[in-house]
Amino acid sequence: MKSTLLKITGIAAASLAMLSLQAADNELVIYPEKTGETISKNIYGHFSEHLGHCIYEGFWVGEDSDIPNVRGIRKDVVEALKEVDLPVLRWPGGCFADEYHWKDGIGPKEKRPTMINTHWGGVVENNHFGTHEFMDLCEQIGTEPFVSINVGSGTPQEAMEWVEYMTSGAFSPMANLRRENGREDPWKVTYLGIGNENWGCGGNMRPEYYADVFRHFQTFTKSYGDNKVFKIACGASGDDYHWTDTLMKIAGDKMDGLSLHFYTLPTGDWSKKGESTGFEEDEWFATLKETLKMEEMVTKHSAIMDIYDPEKRVGLMVDEWGTWYDPEPGRNPGFLYQQNTLRDALVAGINLNIFNSHSERVRMANIAQVVNVLQAMILTDGAKILKTPTYHVFDLYKVHHDAKFVEFQLNETSYDFDEDSIPALNVSCSKKEDGIVNVTICNLDPTEANQLTCKLPGAVVAKVTAQVLTSDVMDAHNTFDEPEAIHPVEFNDFTIESGELKATLPAKSVVLLTLNYE
Ligand code: AHR
C-alpha cells in the first residue's frame, strides 16, 4: 500500500537529505551534466566458496563428466556468467579459506590429499579444484581472480609462497613448482584478501589483535614483477563500527581495501531466518526493510574511514552480501542452498543502487554466492541449469559497469505496511562515455504500481528504451522445469511529453530506463 506522505530524497553522490511533505506521485530529477565518481565494475563482483555445490557440480564436474565441460569446468555456467560480464570472482572462501592449504590443491589430482570441510556439511574435500583450476575458470569466464589467503590456520610463509607461486615470473622455487605443474607464465592476481571473518570463523580475533596480524601477513604478500597486489583486510560484520575504527587506526596505512560483510535475513534473527519461497507480505516488507540497512552501514563505515583516510585511498569492499534463508527441507543444512525469487531481485537491485551511490568509497562488492549457494545467480541440478531473478538484475545493471555516477533528486512516496513504512522507490543513475544515461529503479511496493515523473532539465531525450523484471507473485522464481518463468521483458508503460518522462512502474519490479539524448 502507498501512503500520500511524500519523502524528498536528494542524493548528491553519497549525501542524503530528507524532508516530508504532502504530494501524490514520485518525481525524479536527473542531472546528466552533474557526474560523480566512476562506478567500479567490481561492485558487480561475485563470490565462490568450497561450500555445498558451488564449486563441485556448480563449476567443476571433472574432465570425464557427461556434462559438457572444458578441462572439467562446465560450459553452460561459464557461458551464462560471460553474458553478465562478471568482473571479479572471490575464492576459495569464506570460512573455508582459513582452513585451506593451497599446496593440497596442486599437482596430479590422484595425489592430492583430502580434507574435511568442517564448516560446510562435514564433507570430504578431494582438492580436485585448486589454484590451477580456479585460474582456468577465471580465464574461461574472462574475470579477475580475488584470492582469499589463509590467515586463521595458515602461516605468513604459506601465504608468501602462494603469492609467489601464482604471480612470480622469476626462476624461484615456487614459480618453478608452478612450471612443473604445467603453467609457464605467472597469472595476474591483483586482489588478495588477508583472512576472512577473522572476528569469527577466521580465528575469533579481537580487532586490535587482527590489525597486528594483518600488518604481519601483508608484509609477506608481495608484488612480484609488474603484478601489483591490492591487499584487502578483513572488515566488520554489519554495524560493528568499532572494528572499522580499530583497523583503520592501527593498519589503515598498510591496506588497500577493507571489507564489510552484511547478510539480509528476513527476520534479522539467525536462529529463524525465514523461508526462501512461500512467504507473505510481512516477510517481503521485513526483508526489504532489513536490506535497506546497507545504506546506513556503508555511510557510517565510510565516515569512519574518512577520519583516517580523507583522500579515500582505501576502498570499502563489501565482499559478502545477499539474502540468507533457512535451509530447504531435505537438503544438507550445511550446503546453504536456497531458491531465489523476485524478492531476491529487489534485494539485489536495491543493494547495487546503494553501492553505485557510494562509489567514491565502495570499490568492490561480491554477492554470496555465484552458484547453488545463498543468493545465487545460477542453480544447477545435474546437467540442468537455471538463471535466477538475481542473475537477471545483474544482467540489467551491467550498463552501470565503469559508468559515471549521475546526480539526481528523488521525491518519493512510501510503502506502508502494518504501521511501518519504507521508501517506495530505490534508484541510481549513471552515464556511459557515449552520453547514454541509464536509470535503474526498484518499486518496493508488492501490491501497487507507482507513478513516476522523470524530469530531465537541460537535455532533450531522443529515444528511450526500457526493460522490466516483475511478476504477479512475490515469490516468482525459475525452476528446472520452467527455467524462464521470470525474466526481463521490454517495458513500454511510459510517455515522453514536453521533456518529461511519465512511467507507471509495476508493483514489485526492477526497471531499467535507457535514455539517449539528442
Ligand atoms: O557465505 C557463507 C559464509 O558466510 C562465508 O563462508 C562466511 O565468510 C560468512 O559467514
Side-chain angles (χ1 to χ4, degrees):
M1 177 190 280
K2 178 166 58 173
S3 105
T4 53
L5 184 69
L6 184 91
K7 279 184 180 159
I8 292 189
T9 310
I11 301 176
S15 72
L16 206 74
M18 292 180 117
L19 65 126
S20 298
L21 76 167
Q22 295 290 321
D25 287 338
N26 302 281
E27 184 182 272
L28 176 65
V29 187
I30 298 173
Y31 304 100
E33 298 315 320
K34 293 189 186 173
T35 54
E37 291 293 318
T38 298
I39 296 170
S40 172
K41 66 179 189 304
N42 289 338
I43 282 174
Y44 294 81
H46 293 267
F47 171 35
S48 59
E49 179 166 13
H50 290 240
L51 195 178
H53 293 304
C54 181
I55 298 298
Y56 299 104
E57 295 190 25
F59 284 125
W60 180 258
V61 288
E63 293 92 337
D64 300 332
S65 172
D66 290 340
I67 298 173
N69 69 84
V70 176
R71 293 179 294 278
I73 297 168
R74 59 190 296 167
K75 274 183 174 176
D76 49 4
V77 172
V78 166
E79 282 313 310
L81 295 176
K82 277 164 84 168
E83 278 171 36
V84 290
D85 295 342
L86 187 134
V88 60
L89 184 61
R90 181 173 180 246
W91 171 85
C95 295
F96 181 80
D98 281 284
E99 292 191 356
Y100 181 64
H101 299 286
W102 68 272
K103 282 185 184 164
D104 294 347
I106 55 170
K109 294 200 176 61
E110 64 281 4
K111 291 197 178 152
R112 297 185 191 178
T114 58
M115 67 180 279
I116 305 289
N117 191 334
T118 63
H119 283 290
W120 306 119
V123 294
V124 175
E125 159 70 52
N126 64 15
N127 277 308
H128 282 192
F129 189 91
T131 304
H132 290 251
E133 291 75 22
F134 174 64
M135 294 301 173
D136 191 12
L137 170 67
C138 290
E139 286 176 350
Q140 288 188 35
I141 298 172
T143 196
E144 276 216 64
F146 168 5
V147 174
S148 280
I149 300 280
N150 180 347
V151 167
S153 69
T155 62
Q157 182 184 0
E158 185 184 17
M160 181 173 179
E161 288 184 342
W162 198 9
V163 179
E164 181 194 328
Y165 185 91
M166 292 186 288
T167 64
S168 170
F171 283 89
S172 63
M174 290 302 115
N176 288 341
L177 181 59
R178 183 192 67 236
R179 291 185 184 97
E180 278 172 32
N181 288 327
R183 173 77 185 199
E184 174 60 34
D185 295 332
W187 292 286
K188 178 175 175 284
V189 182
T190 302
Y191 300 105
L192 291 181
I194 313 293
N196 169 76
E197 297 196 350
N198 301 92
W199 36 260
C201 64
N204 280 307
M205 301 175 193
R206 294 174 306 116
E208 295 79 6
Y209 179 73
Y210 170 72
D212 279 338
V213 170
F214 170 79
R215 291 175 67 98
H216 185 180
F217 269 71
Q218 69 79 33
T219 309
F220 299 99
T221 50
K222 301 188 185 243
S223 295
Y224 294 93
D226 56 8
N227 187 78
K228 175 91 184 67
V229 292
F230 184 104
K231 300 168 185 178
I232 301 168
C234 162
S237 170
D239 60 0
D240 184 354
Y241 302 114
H242 173 63
W243 183 278
T244 296
D245 188 65
T246 308
L247 261 289
M248 289 303 294
K249 193 186 313 171
I250 297 176
D253 62 327
K254 299 275 185 283
M255 66 179 73
D256 301 302
L258 180 63
S259 73
L260 168 66
H261 288 184
F262 173 57
Y263 283 98
T264 299
L265 281 54
T267 59
D269 174 1
W270 285 96
S271 64
K272 180 105 188 70
K273 297 182 265 301
E275 309 290 322
S276 62
T277 56
F279 49 84
E280 301 293 335
E281 189 176 347
D282 56 343
E283 286 193 30
W284 169 280
F285 181 88
T287 306
L288 300 190
K289 185 175 179 186
E290 191 67 16
T291 217
L292 284 164
K293 288 183 183 164
M294 185 65 92
E295 170 68 43
E296 180 186 328
M297 281 181 211
V298 168
T299 302
K300 288 188 175 170
H301 285 292
S302 298
I304 295 167
M305 293 173 80
D306 284 348
I307 298 168
Y308 301 95
D309 175 35
E311 283 82 37
K312 303 190 194 298
R313 185 189 62 79
V314 180
L316 181 59
M317 326 295 268
V318 190
D319 61 15
E320 285 185 34
W321 67 275
T323 53
W324 193 323
Y325 307 118
D326 287 329
E328 291 199 352
R331 291 184 185 266
N332 186 330
F335 282 10
L336 310 186
Y337 179 93
Q338 62 192 36
Q339 246 304 353
N340 191 294
T341 71
L342 180 57
R343 177 177 60 170
D344 295 270
L346 269 291
V347 167
I350 291 167
N351 280 278
L352 293 169
N353 281 342
I354 292 171
F355 300 147
N356 286 350
S357 298
H358 286 272
S359 46
E360 82 290 349
R361 181 64 86 176
V362 178
R363 310 273 162 71
M364 187 191 287
N366 308 76
I367 190 168
Q369 299 189 5
V370 64
V371 190
N372 290 333
V373 171
L374 298 177
Q375 192 174 347
M377 307 273 285
I378 291 170
L379 300 176
T380 67
D381 179 14
K384 295 183 191 161
I385 167 178
L386 66 80
K387 297 169 179 170
T388 65
T390 297
Y391 175 97
H392 291 302
V393 171
F394 274 77
D395 198 25
L396 289 175
Y397 275 55
K398 69 188 179 193
V399 292
H400 290 308
H401 291 198
D402 286 338
K404 290 271 184 202
F405 178 80
V406 168
E407 287 188 22
F408 62 88
Q409 189 178 55
L410 175 64
N411 309 328
E412 62 181 315
T413 54
S414 61
Y415 158 38
D416 305 333
F417 180 79
D418 203 13
E419 297 182 10
D420 201 353
S421 103
I422 54 178
L425 302 184
N426 183 279
V427 172
S428 75
C429 304
S430 73
K431 184 163 142 181
K432 289 280 192 200
E433 262 176 14
D434 57 10
I436 291 175
V437 170
N438 285 291
V439 189
T440 44
I441 311 165
C442 299
N443 178 7
L444 281 57
D445 195 319
T447 55
E448 290 197 28
N450 260 293
Q451 302 303 319
L452 176 71
T453 300
C454 197
K455 295 190 172 168
L456 311 152
V460 180
V461 175
K463 187 178 158 214
V464 177
T465 53
Q467 294 180 71
V468 63
L469 183 70
T470 189
S471 171
D472 291 342
V473 287
M474 290 181 290
D475 71 344
H477 57 275
N478 293 325
T479 63
F480 296 106
D481 291 334
E482 228 187 318
E484 293 291 322
I486 171 165
H487 59 90
V489 294
E490 195 182 324
F491 176 66
N492 41 33
D493 203 354
F494 62 85
T495 57
I496 307 173
E497 266 175 46
S498 317
E500 284 187 3
L501 184 150
K502 287 185 189 293
T504 303
L505 305 169
K508 47 181 163 356
S509 65
V510 180
V511 171
L512 164 66
L513 296 176
T514 299
L515 313 178
N516 297 265
Y517 290 90
E518 269 181 7

